[in-house]
Amino acid sequence: MTTVGPKLSIDGLIAELKTLGNISEAEPPVVTRVVFGEADLRARAYVKQLCADAGLAVSEDAIGNTFALWEGTDPELAPIGTGSHIDAIPNAGLYDGCVGVLGGLEAIRTLKQLGFTPRRSIELVIFTAEEPTRFGIGCLGSRMMANALTPEKARNLRDKQGRTLDELRAWAGFEGSLESVAMPLGRFGGFVELHIEQGPTLEREGVDIGLVTHIAAPASLRITVDGEGGHAGATLMPGRKDALTAAAELILALEAAAKATGAIDTVATTGVCDVFPGAVNSIPSRVRLETDIRDIDGARRDRVIDSLKAACIDVESRRGVTITLEQVNADPPATCDAAILAALEDSAKAAGKSYRKMVSRAYHDSLFAARIAPGAMLFIPCRGGVSHRPDEYASPEWIGAGVQILARTLAHLAS
Ligand code: HGY
Ligand code: MN
Ligand code: MN
């Protein structure tokens, strides 16, 4: 039995994580749960029921950010928030996001079981669409809560089938004006997100808890390359305008630009490459790329973006193709709140857990929650640092330690 602090078991939490993981568009153990899809709705219903069973008041906003409130004795004070996301990219695992949502719920249940009474309310948040799969932009729910994406721009978001955010949210049952999603500064008295590290450091060093000081600055750009296409056999090589070989040059140029900064914190990936018409005997006439560029130093990341833009101009003129580039987002990095980090550090010490400070190379909803509240994150190890894969794994011991530190910290902040 894995316990949280004084003889409290998290076996129920481990079972809930497995149940949630089975709510998937793919065959378990593969987790695919794209926002506003059928599996997403079933997962939301499951988690909302767990929150209601725990005696929390559940509500949703116009795009499906979900709130589960444990009212404190002084409800006028801004609540202490915790939470994360339950949507999952294709071919993902059980723990990314879900540890922060179900672990946050477990921390609340543990505090209730121990007879703690919060002065400030404690609010569990399930952010809509942390993953960029559906609309190409990450942290949609928290981004709009922080007013970092206006309703006007949000209305223009479409998925690959051309369906708009409004169409999809209405289908999922979320009504109300997009203008109602934005929250004022101070909406939360503090925000703490529990998440798996999605990297190898904690496990490799044998450290129980990561205290996140900074969250890397993510940027995403869409590139469309238009060539001429044609018959693969009858079109001679001279004069071809092959969209895919042109795109291949851009993919390699992006990789080279990220490596050229010389900083280990600069990363760049071309994760999506759609080829049209996609027939073996037809020269590609159009290619759509989606690129992901990150760094904990925003200016250094932007220099990589500039190199990519320069490569687009060079390839376009040399190959006679037409290249259009759309910057989907280029967010600043977040600095976590020192007082909340200190509270997390005190909790780790009190629980006798080892910890270290670190940056988050993945982005999280805390990147935007930090714009409306003092916030910080705590990481637990994940096996081999693996994430965004079905073999993603966090042990009950690691999860138990994270829930215990979270519970202690929430109790401290809500007192
Ligand atoms: O891509 C990320 O960093 C996050 O897991 N969505
Ligand atoms: Mn993720
Ligand atoms: Mn995540």
Side-chain angles (χ1 to χ4, degrees):
M1 179 175 83
T2 310
T3 61
V4 175
K7 299 285 163 279
L8 289 169
S9 158
I10 61 158
D11 292 349
L13 167 58
I14 301 304
E16 289 163 357
L17 280 164
K18 288 187 177 124
T19 303
L20 182 54
N22 286 330
I23 304 176
S24 169
E25 294 163 37
E27 200 53 37
V30 177
V31 182
T32 300
R33 205 164 43 232
V34 181
V35 72
F36 301 146
E38 179 273 333
D40 177 43
L41 300 192
R42 279 192 292 128
R44 287 168 181 270
Y46 173 64
V47 175
K48 285 191 292 184
Q49 188 55 55
L50 291 177
C51 292
D53 295 347
L56 305 181
V58 180
S59 61
E60 296 162 321
D61 71 9
I63 56 167
N65 290 310
T66 303
F67 306 88
L69 185 72
W70 178 14
E71 189 158 274
T73 54
D74 195 342
E76 295 310 306
L77 294 173
I80 298 301
T82 188
S84 192
H85 63 97
I86 60 171
D87 62 317
I89 68 167
N91 199 49
L94 259 66
Y95 303 92
D96 174 7
C98 299
V99 159
V101 171
L102 294 181
L105 176 59
E106 183 65 15
I108 290 171
R109 288 186 300 214
T110 301
L111 291 174
K112 279 176 170 249
Q113 218 172 334
L114 292 172
F116 173 77
T117 305
R119 180 162 157 258
R120 284 178 182 269
S121 302
I122 296 177
E123 194 162 32
L124 178 68
V125 184
I126 305 149
F127 296 101
T128 268
E130 190 271 352
E131 299 292 4
T133 314
R134 172 77 69 191
F135 296 109
I137 187 168
C139 299
L140 175 62
S142 50
R143 192 183 290 268
M144 289 194 73
M145 280 166 66
N147 210 17
L149 178 73
T150 62
E152 294 69 41
K153 286 213 172 119
R155 283 195 187 88
N156 294 329
L157 292 175
R158 290 176 181 273
D159 70 2
K160 283 186 178 166
Q161 288 70 40
R163 290 171 297 196
T164 65
L165 170 61
D166 278 343
E167 286 166 50
L168 285 159
R169 73 184 179 99
W171 175 82
F174 301 115
E175 309 292 344
S177 77
L178 292 180
E179 282 71 13
S180 64
V181 175
M183 292 181 162
L185 190 61
R187 161 69 171 74
F188 293 104
F191 196 89
V192 187
E193 179 173 5
L194 169 63
H195 206 284
I196 55 171
E197 180 197 341
Q198 297 178 302
T201 306
L202 292 175
E203 183 192 36
R204 189 178 55 214
E205 295 179 2
V207 173
D208 299 319
I209 297 290
L211 302 182
V212 176
T213 58
H214 298 84
I215 302 171
S220 177
L221 296 94
R222 273 198 201 106
I223 299 173
T224 303
V225 181
D226 284 304
E228 266 178 9
H231 193 291
T235 310
L236 303 181
M237 295 309 282
R240 276 192 179 195
K241 293 181 178 177
D242 182 327
L244 185 51
T245 49
E249 281 204 53
L250 298 180
I251 294 169
L252 291 173
L254 176 60
E255 181 186 57
K259 289 179 175 175
T261 70
I264 194 68
D265 296 319
T266 317
V267 292
T269 313
T270 301
V272 174
C273 178
D274 294 327
V275 181
F276 181 82
V280 66
N281 57 349
S282 175
I283 302 167
S285 56
R286 165 168 278 203
V287 171
R288 280 182 70 258
L289 302 178
E290 291 187 20
T291 64
D292 178 312
I293 307 166
R294 309 187 195 194
D295 198 318
I296 57 171
D297 177 322
R300 197 167 51 207
R301 179 208 58 201
D302 291 348
R303 288 198 291 277
V304 174
I305 294 174
D306 292 342
S307 301
L308 178 60
K309 289 177 178 175
C312 288
I313 294 166
D314 168 47
V315 168
E316 186 173 57
S317 65
R318 264 191 305 106
R319 287 176 169 268
V321 294
T322 305
I323 298 177
T324 49
L325 183 138
E326 177 202 353
Q327 188 159 296
V328 177
N329 65 291
D331 305 306
T335 302
C336 294
D337 179 79
I340 298 209
L341 281 169
L344 284 164
E345 186 169 2
D346 291 346
S347 300
K349 282 179 188 160
K353 298 298 176 188
S354 57
Y355 62 90
R356 58 157 285 167
K357 294 195 175 173
M358 60 198 300
V359 303
S360 173
R361 302 187 186 287
Y363 60 73
H364 303 280
D365 290 306
S366 288
L367 182 66
F368 293 95
R371 297 194 191 185
I372 54 174
M377 294 187 74
L378 69 155
F379 277 170
I380 59 171
C382 53
R383 187 177 55 199
V386 164
S387 183
H388 282 191
R389 279 179 11 194
D391 55 337
E392 181 183 85
Y393 176 75
S395 73
E397 289 69 29
W398 288 338
I399 296 170
V403 169
Q404 186 186 158
I405 304 313
L406 179 62
R408 287 173 181 268
T409 305
L410 292 177
H412 169 76
L413 296 173
S415 295

